Amino acid sequence: MVAPPDNDVLWARSLHHTHNGSPALGGVSLGVREGEILAVHGPRGSGKTTLLRCLSGQLLPQDGEVWFNSTPVHTMSARRRERLRRDRFGWLGPEPALLPELTAWENAALPLLLRGCSHRAAKAAALEWLERLDTGPCAARRPHALLQSQRQRVAAARALVGGPAVLFADEPTACLHQEDRGHLLRTLTAAARSHRITVVLATHDDDVAALADRTVSLVDGRRTGSVQLADLHDPGRPGEPAGPAGAAEPDGPGSAVGLDGAEGRDACSLSV
């Protein structure tokens, strides 16, 4: 194995995966820098969701490598990948997937409560994000009493509340009308830039992809090219990652995943 470049917080090489014998990814490689907003653009069925699931550790690729902060995600045990997703990643899908028995603020605070944060700190952070997403008045309501756009904003608050190192957003505006879509995207991109959150955004919408710093295109599970706005200032960045030698130890006590609040991220340090 070859460790990724130091300036890439997330890095993948030659990812292959099939679903029921049908190819979903066919050798996809990419690198994402810290604080970068990367759009993975392509039509439905192009492999965008599969790619995000592999990058976030939800799904192990059948072949290839995924690295987070110089640690191989693809060699981690299921338990360590679950911990990585809980502590360092945020996920926002096309549907809110809220727990119906919890209120809006409880749903938003859930990642912090699962980490062991105090009830008071988790609630304060959740309410702060709900206010920022114009859903504060709905904090005490349960999902059935919310509009679809409100439920998706609660899901966005849940994804952001823990201060993730990487936010994976899989068609996050698919269920929203144009006005709600714009507000959610503005909030996500503003939060990402102000908190240096790396965002990997899957979309089939050209207007959504245009908000990103760089766009990678997928068709039938393969990269077809990229538009790299950052490369206007850094023309030497390669299209496919090729890191220096020196791999980290896989999934062991010394692996440098930084799951315990590394890089200065305290589990309850959540100011908006």
Side-chain angles (χ1 to χ4, degrees):
M1 291 187 296
V2 178
D6 290 340
N7 59 352
D8 281 348
V9 66
L10 195 65
W11 191 74
R13 176 168 49 201
S14 300
L15 298 183
H16 291 262
H17 198 78
T18 61
H19 292 304
N20 298 322
S22 299
L25 294 177
V28 175
S29 299
L30 58 82
V32 193
R33 291 173 173 169
E34 181 182 1
E36 181 180 30
I37 300 176
L38 174 71
V40 179
H41 181 262
R44 289 182 174 88
S46 60
K48 302 186 302 294
T49 297
T50 302
L51 177 59
L52 262 65
R53 292 186 66 204
C54 287
L55 294 175
S56 63
Q58 296 181 47
L59 181 69
L60 285 178
Q62 292 164 341
D63 194 19
E65 302 176 12
V66 177
W67 297 72
F68 170 68
N69 280 347
S70 300
T71 299
V73 177
H74 56 285
T75 64
M76 286 182 177
S77 65
R79 182 177 179 180
R80 284 181 60 79
R81 284 187 285 113
E82 181 181 356
R83 187 181 176 197
L84 175 65
R85 295 194 301 272
R86 183 194 69 194
D87 292 349
R88 306 308 308 280
F89 293 163
W91 181 274
L92 180 60
E95 294 291 338
L98 303 179
L99 296 178
E101 65 272 19
L102 300 182
T103 64
W105 80 258
E106 289 169 336
N107 268 286
L110 193 58
L112 299 180
L113 297 172
L114 292 174
R115 288 187 197 175
C117 287
S118 71
H119 186 277
R120 177 178 295 182
K123 183 175 183 178
L127 291 176
E128 195 170 358
W129 272 110
L130 291 174
E131 286 290 345
R132 184 167 182 172
L133 287 155
D134 293 338
T135 321
C138 305
R141 300 180 191 171
R142 287 182 167 78
H144 70 85
L146 302 177
L147 300 174
Q148 178 72 5
S149 62
Q150 293 170 331
R151 290 194 290 269
Q152 189 68 349
R153 292 179 197 176
V154 173
R158 180 182 60 194
L160 291 164
V161 72
V166 183
L167 172 63
F168 296 93
D170 182 18
E171 298 281 8
T173 60
C175 64
L176 303 179
H177 295 300
Q178 188 68 36
E179 183 177 351
D180 295 318
R181 181 183 303 144
H183 178 71
L184 180 62
L185 289 172
R186 286 192 299 272
T187 302
L188 287 176
T189 53
R193 298 192 192 285
S194 63
H195 290 66
R196 288 196 61 77
I197 298 172
T198 302
V199 178
V200 184
L201 170 66
T203 182
H204 67 277
D205 189 321
D206 293 341
D207 293 335
V208 174
L211 297 174
D213 301 316
R214 183 164 56 98
T215 299
V216 168
S217 297
L218 289 186
V219 174
D220 294 334
R222 295 182 179 275
R223 282 187 60 170
T224 61
S226 62
V227 177
Q228 302 181 14
L229 301 183
D231 285 3
L232 297 176
H233 306 287
D234 184 10
R237 180 175 173 85
E240 302 291 345
E249 286 294 323
D251 193 20
S255 59
V257 182
L259 300 184
D260 298 304
E263 301 176 2
R265 291 177 183 270
D266 185 275
C268 296
S269 172
L270 305 161
S271 59
V272 183

